[in-house]
């Protein structure tokens, strides 16, 4: 079966500026993929290539096996898109906007499903009858989510989906994404909110200066940093002459070892067995800590 | 394609309806009033004295069309070539023609063109909306004149024929469509509506002045044919000349060329 998204050596130049350089990746059907990078890294350009709003200089992109340029209409019929800044007309009501975009979609909008989305995102019927110029940022974002999800497409492309949502609505959105996963939908989302990506996504791709520098599962990325282990003792303990190879020593004191372990914990467990261990604290690394190092490289370069 | 175009047409007509209806009301009223002005002038036998009040050089410059204008038919027809009416309709056509650039600028395209909507539908929508709005207003203008002529004009006056009103409306429609098509071509290539509208507006002003100077000053007469306004000749229609189909074809063809260019450019560009 063709992957939901296939990017093959995608490059995009604007005059002398190279926005994307040789980006290749696959996103499987049913996967939730997080697309990360600093502003200007090329995330939105990649998304716009998928939707045929921008044409690549090199390479090709497919969605469910269909070429994004040659069979653009077929592709777009199967995609729901939430732009980073939805260009709603302020003088239209929310309801009229949803109706218009529903009529332009590839498949019929189920009114019951749309009502459910509206209810879950707490958009009242009276809100939908108001002009969008009266909406808050969060309400516009909710309307954007409804218009992207309302046709229940097999692929959702979401650009910064929770930007402007309050924490309660973010939770509602995460539940919605989880439901989409259960229903076998594929989600390709760009985000700056790393805890959100860590919580929601199966895999991530990191763009830096137009290049894909990291493509891995969230678990694999966590493994890159290793777990931090703090072993405290009842009594003074002499440090061994050497620690296991996958173990980085952060600090060693007579009653406290501070270590970072990449890979299995077994060698450390074996090392402390028989010692007067008072406590063993294992901290899982956060995506944010790991990716910050990637971002730092970009900033310095 | 047709379904998407129709959905977009309905959406755009909804957005433009207030301006279009207001403009139609003003212009229809103006057409009706002109017939009544002509009735009053005719009743007072004022056409002759009005013509003699003009300085000789102006009469010589304008030629026989000036005498034709100072007649019942000429006054009734004024609404089809008065500079304010002309510039209002050109402004409306440019506003409609630049909608694609406006949708790129406001990112409305990110919502519509990420659905199974061909880019050609955006251009086709604009052409259809322009045809409906401009065609509708011109039809209503002609209807305003016709109403004034049939209901409130003495039977003794020599009324302009329906054919003349139709020819005047067609000529005005052709020049408006021409600039609308050019506005559409500009809008298909830029990211800001104001840029497209500004470029087309300035081009129209320059073309108008070039044609005007070419008509009144011999050394510039050879550049006058470069201006679309050269092919818009309401005064010759008033003198009784038939509608010049070649000129009409040039204006409609220029507008069509603009629309085709827009289709090609918009289909290939990055949004």
């Amino acid at each position: 079966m063709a992957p939901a998204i296939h990017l093959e050596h995608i490059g995009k130049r604007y005059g002398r500026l190279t926005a994307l350089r040789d980006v290749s990746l696959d996103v499987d059907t049913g996967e939730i993929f997080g697309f990360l990078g600093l502003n200007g890294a090329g995330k939105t350009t990649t998304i716009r290539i998928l939707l045929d709003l921008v044409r690549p200089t090199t390479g090709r992109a497919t969605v469910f096996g269909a070429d994004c340029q040659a069979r653009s209409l077929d592709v777009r019929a199967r995609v729901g898109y939430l732009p980073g800044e939805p260009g709603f007309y302020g003088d239209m009501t929310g309801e009229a906007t949803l109706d218009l975009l529903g009529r332009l979609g590839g498949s019929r909008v189920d009114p019951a499903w749309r009502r459910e989305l509206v209810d879950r995102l707490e958009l009242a019927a009276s809100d939908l009858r108001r002009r969008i110029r009266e909406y808050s940022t969060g309400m516009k974002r909710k309307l954007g989510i409804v218009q992207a999800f309302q046709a229940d497409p097999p692929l959702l492309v979401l650009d910064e989906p929770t930007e402007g949502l309050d924490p309660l609505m973010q939770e509602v959105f995460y539940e919605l994404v989880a439901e989409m996963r259960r229903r076998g939908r594929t989600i390709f989302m760009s985000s700056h909110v790393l805890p959100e990506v860590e919580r929601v996504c199966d895999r991530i791709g990191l763009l830096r200066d137009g290049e894909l520098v990291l493509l891995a599962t969230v678990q694999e990325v966590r493994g890159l940093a290793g777990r931090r282990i703090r072993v405290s003792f009842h009594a003074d303990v002499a440090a061994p002459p050497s620690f296991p190879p996958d173990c980085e020593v952060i600090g060693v004191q007579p009653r406290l070892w501070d270590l970072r372990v990449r890979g299995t914990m077994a060698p450390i467990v074996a090392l402390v067995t028989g010692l007067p261990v008072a406590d063993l604290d294992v901290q899982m690394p956060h995506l944010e800590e790991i990716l910050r190092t990637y971002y730092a490289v970009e900033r310095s370069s | 394609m047709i379904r998407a175009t129709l959905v977009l047409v309905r959406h755009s007509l909804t957005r433009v309806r207030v301006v279009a209806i207001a403009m139609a009301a003003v212009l229809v009223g103006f057409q009706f009033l002109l017939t009544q002005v002509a009735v009053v002038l005719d009743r007072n036998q004022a056409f002759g004295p009005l013509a003699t009040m003009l300085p000789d050089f102006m009469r010589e410059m304008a030629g026989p069309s000036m005498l034709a204008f100072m007649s019942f038919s000429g006054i009734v027809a004024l609404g089809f070539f008065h500079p304010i009416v002309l510039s209002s309709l050109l402004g409306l056509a440019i506003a409609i023609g630049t909608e694609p650039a406006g949708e790129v600028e406001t990112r409305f395209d990110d919502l519509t063109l990420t659905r199974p909507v061909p880019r050609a539908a955006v251009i086709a929508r604009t052409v259809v909306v322009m045809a409906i709005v401009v065609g509708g207003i011109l039809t209503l203008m002609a209807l305003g004149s016709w109403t004034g002529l049939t209901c409130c004009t003495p039977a003794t006056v020599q009324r302009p024929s329906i054919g003349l009103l139709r020819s005047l409306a067609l000529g005005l429609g052709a020049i408006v469509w021409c600039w609308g098509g050019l506005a559409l071509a500009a809008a298909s290539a830029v990211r800001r509506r104001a840029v497209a509208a500004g470029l087309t507006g300035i081009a129209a002003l320059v073309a108008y002045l070039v044609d005007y100077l070419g008509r009144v000053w011999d050394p510039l007469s050879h550049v006058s044919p470069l201006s679309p306004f050269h092919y818009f000749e309401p005064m010759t229609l008033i003198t009784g000349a038939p509608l010049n189909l070649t000129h009409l074809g040039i204006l409609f063809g220029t507008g069509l060329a603009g629309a085709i260019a827009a289709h090609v450019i918009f289909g290939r560009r990055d949004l």
Side-chain angles (χ1 to χ4, degrees):
Chain A
M1 195 167 88
I5 294 174
H6 173 68
L7 299 180
E8 196 178 304
H9 304 297
I10 291 287
K12 179 64 186 176
R13 279 197 304 275
Y14 294 101
R16 287 182 179 178
L17 176 77
T18 302
L20 286 175
R21 196 178 291 130
D22 199 31
V23 173
S24 295
L25 65 85
D26 283 347
V27 176
D28 292 328
T29 302
E31 190 175 20
I32 300 182
F33 189 88
F35 205 43
L36 310 176
L38 295 177
N39 291 337
K43 304 186 296 292
T44 302
T45 302
T46 308
I47 287 174
R48 295 178 85 77
I49 286 172
L50 284 175
L51 297 163
D52 196 36
L53 292 171
V54 167
R55 308 290 165 56
T57 312
T58 58
R60 81 187 266 266
T62 65
V63 168
F64 297 116
D67 189 282
C68 291
Q69 273 186 265
R71 292 176 57 197
S72 166
L73 294 183
D74 292 339
V75 167
R76 286 184 269 150
R78 305 180 74 182
V79 177
Y81 174 50
L82 170 64
E85 296 170 36
F88 297 127
Y89 277 122
D91 58 351
M92 287 175 73
T93 64
E95 193 166 25
T97 302
L98 291 178
D99 287 344
L100 170 71
L101 297 176
R103 283 196 296 273
L104 290 172
S107 49
R108 201 184 71 86
V109 173
D110 178 4
W113 170 237
R114 185 168 111 178
R115 204 172 311 117
E116 187 184 331
L117 286 169
V118 165
D119 290 345
R120 282 165 76 162
L121 289 162
E122 296 176 10
L123 273 171
S126 57
D127 292 333
L128 289 177
R129 285 194 294 270
R130 282 163 50 198
R131 292 185 192 282
I132 294 175
R133 74 163 72 95
E134 297 166 18
Y135 281 24
S136 66
T137 308
M139 284 171 72
K140 283 182 193 162
R141 181 53 67 175
K142 290 179 195 177
L143 189 69
I145 292 171
V146 175
Q147 64 82 26
F149 282 68
Q150 67 176 351
D152 198 15
L155 172 64
L156 287 152
V157 177
L158 312 173
D159 199 351
E160 304 288 347
T162 57
E163 185 103 351
L165 291 183
D166 62 47
L168 291 178
M169 276 303 123
Q170 286 179 11
E171 277 303 318
V172 171
F173 173 75
Y174 298 146
E175 285 165 18
L176 198 57
V177 167
E179 187 180 324
M180 290 295 115
R181 184 210 299 269
R182 284 195 296 276
R183 291 163 65 166
R185 306 293 183 258
T186 308
I187 296 180
F188 184 88
M189 58 183 268
S190 80
S191 179
H192 284 301
V193 188
L194 295 175
E196 168 180 291
V197 172
E198 190 168 15
R199 173 174 171 176
V200 170
C201 296
D202 302 313
R203 272 201 310 151
I204 62 164
L206 180 74
L207 272 183
R208 192 171 66 197
D209 204 15
E211 280 185 282
L212 191 66
V213 291
L214 180 68
L215 183 62
T217 64
V218 171
Q219 286 301 325
E220 285 168 345
V221 176
R222 284 201 190 112
L224 290 174
R227 283 163 288 188
R228 188 158 180 186
I229 299 171
R230 293 160 69 91
V231 190
S232 53
F233 302 101
H234 289 302
D236 289 358
V237 171
S242 66
F243 282 88
D246 285 344
C247 183
E248 176 194 343
V249 178
I250 296 171
V252 171
Q253 295 166 22
R255 292 196 177 201
L256 179 69
W257 295 354
D258 194 356
L259 311 168
R260 179 170 284 124
V261 177
R262 292 180 178 82
T264 174
M265 292 271 288
I268 289 297
V269 173
L271 190 66
V272 299
T273 302
L275 297 178
V277 175
D279 193 18
L280 191 68
D281 178 29
V282 180
Q283 290 176 359
M284 296 300 290
H286 287 288
L287 204 58
E288 199 159 354
E289 297 164 31
I290 304 149
L291 296 184
R292 204 177 286 144
T293 59
Y294 279 91
Y295 289 159
V297 170
E298 181 170 3
R299 282 250 158 77
S300 63
S301 66
Chain B
M1 162 83 178
I2 291 173
R3 188 175 153 273
T5 304
L6 291 177
V7 171
L8 291 175
V9 164
R10 187 179 159 194
H11 164 70
S12 294
L13 284 176
T14 307
R15 293 186 60 75
V16 81
R17 72 183 187 281
V18 174
V19 174
I21 290 170
M23 188 175 282
V26 170
L27 293 180
V28 169
F30 184 57
Q31 294 299 116
F32 181 85
L33 282 176
L34 283 174
T35 61
Q36 301 315 297
V37 170
V39 168
V40 172
L41 290 175
D42 184 70
R43 192 183 299 143
N44 297 330
Q45 297 180 326
F47 291 118
L50 269 177
T52 56
M53 283 168 69
L54 285 172
D56 287 344
F57 79 94
M58 280 189 74
R59 262 182 292 175
E60 280 172 24
M61 207 162 66
S65 61
M66 181 54 71
L67 289 175
F69 172 62
M70 290 298 170
S71 66
F72 189 91
S73 290
I75 295 295
V76 170
L78 178 63
F80 289 98
F81 57 87
H82 192 284
I84 291 177
V85 175
L86 183 59
S87 53
S88 302
L89 285 171
L90 286 181
L92 182 65
I94 290 171
I96 293 170
T98 53
E99 191 173 11
E103 289 173 340
V104 172
E105 183 179 0
T106 59
R107 294 182 173 270
F108 190 67
D109 273 350
D110 287 6
L111 296 167
T112 54
L113 290 179
T114 52
R115 289 176 158 76
V117 176
R119 291 190 186 189
V122 173
I123 303 300
R125 175 277 317 267
T126 309
V127 169
V128 171
V129 170
M130 204 182 302
I132 291 174
V133 172
V134 175
I137 289 177
L138 290 172
T139 306
L140 290 172
M141 283 170 67
L143 205 62
S145 296
W146 183 79
T147 307
L149 290 171
T150 50
C151 82
C152 316
T153 306
T156 51
V157 300
Q158 194 179 359
R159 301 173 191 180
S161 67
I162 292 293
L164 174 61
L165 292 181
R166 191 174 55 223
S167 296
L168 287 166
L170 211 53
L172 181 56
I175 189 74
V176 170
W177 156 249
C178 168
W179 286 104
L182 295 174
L184 182 55
S188 68
V190 300
R191 300 193 71 84
R192 293 176 70 87
R193 190 175 201 167
V195 172
L199 284 174
T200 317
I202 289 168
L205 180 64
V206 169
Y208 187 85
L209 293 176
V210 163
D211 177 54
Y212 179 76
L213 291 174
R215 285 174 193 266
V216 298
W217 192 35
D218 265 352
L220 272 181
S221 60
H222 62 285
V223 292
S224 180
L226 295 175
S227 166
F229 291 103
H230 180 78
Y231 306 99
F232 174 56
E233 299 168 311
M235 297 296 260
T236 58
L237 291 176
I238 298 169
T239 59
L243 186 64
N244 188 325
L245 293 179
T246 307
H247 288 183
L248 203 65
I250 289 170
L251 291 178
F252 274 116
T254 306
L256 184 64
I260 292 169
H263 171 70
V264 173
I265 296 166
F266 198 70
R268 293 182 178 181
R269 69 177 288 194
D270 287 338
L271 296 174

